[in-house]
Amino acid sequence: MAGRGGARARPRPRPGPGRGWRLAGEAPALVPVPVASPSPFQCLERARGLRDLSGDGGVRKEELRPGRGPVVPPAASVAVKYSGYLEHWNEPFCTNCYSKSPGLMKLGKDITLGGLEIGLLTMKKGEAARFVFTPDYAYGRQGCPPLIPPNATVMFEVELLDFLDSDESDTFFELTAAFSILGRNPSTEVEQCQINAAKLLVLLNLSLTYLKLERPAQALAYGEKALEIDQRNAKALFRCGQACLCMTEYEKARDFLVRAQRIQPFNHDINNELKKLASCYKDYMEKEKEMCCRMFAPLNSSCG
């Protein structure tokens, strides 16, 4: 797999003929060292009830933690943490688990390990699983010397952090690329206005995309960048208010949403978000009150 925005790739083996692979942005490959204790691969081989995903035993799965929502759709982009193991070895030959926030990778393009793509298409957001891939679904008959031997069966531990469907992911990558291009210096004031208008649209869409990804901090950051271009942009204020509400920063959420309402007083989305904010804040205050009552209940009873 090759991640966008991940760490710089370290030296890695070249793929052999057949099903190839690429894992850019991964931690340095570790040279396997034999150990006496059972490896993760051996533990998995002894586990019962492995699910045959390919129908020929080439891709088998053990669910470690269930996920939620729909499974990953074809051509989606995924954010995953993974570690790959060779048979009889305890250390992973590839992993990105040292990265705090793995980038999005597109199925069929950035992930080219056949078995892994089949496995990911069965996973849900938040799910963790182990997969065993035979050579035909991994590195082929020749392997990837010197690290992957010929005809190697491998095991991958995978955690699906998040995913975007095909349309959303394509839009996301187009927006991030466009935003990079729009960073050039204008030659005239007219060109500056055109660039600002384009930037504003990109920033608003990026803010919305991060809200859909349930990453409100990034959504707020892009919303605030949009406000640097246009302080009275109601949509930017609305996005910032939504992000703050997701982060339970109620005062900031109210400030952004009230400012948006002043600009567009009859906007249903803004007014509904203010109602939602009021309801969330009321629940928050009631829980705070209940907590205080529980904390001081012993004192009140002893005073009585």
Side-chain angles (χ1 to χ4, degrees), residues 125-139:
K125 181 178 177 180
E127 181 180 342
R130 289 191 182 119
F131 299 95
V132 173
F133 308 137
T134 59
D136 286 342
Y137 292 90
Y139 302 105

Side-chain angles (χ1 to χ4, degrees), residues 203-252:
L203 290 167
L204 290 172
N205 280 289
L206 284 170
S207 182
L208 176 60
T209 300
Y210 275 112
L211 282 171
K212 289 184 176 182
L213 282 170
E214 298 179 6
R215 297 182 184 178
Q218 289 91 336
L220 177 60
Y222 281 114
E224 289 178 329
K225 284 182 180 292
L227 289 173
E228 291 175 7
I229 297 174
D230 181 2
Q231 294 182 358
R232 289 182 53 80
N233 187 282
K235 189 171 287 187
L237 291 166
F238 177 60
R239 295 277 182 263
C240 290
Q242 285 180 299
C244 289
L245 179 54
C246 290
M247 295 187 289
T248 66
E249 295 183 8
Y250 299 121
E251 294 296 330
K252 289 181 67 176

Side-chain angles (χ1 to χ4, degrees), residues 180-193:
S180 175
I181 294 170
L182 290 171
R184 68 181 189 276
N185 294 322
S187 56
T188 65
E189 186 175 344
V190 173
E191 186 179 354
Q192 178 66 69
C193 291

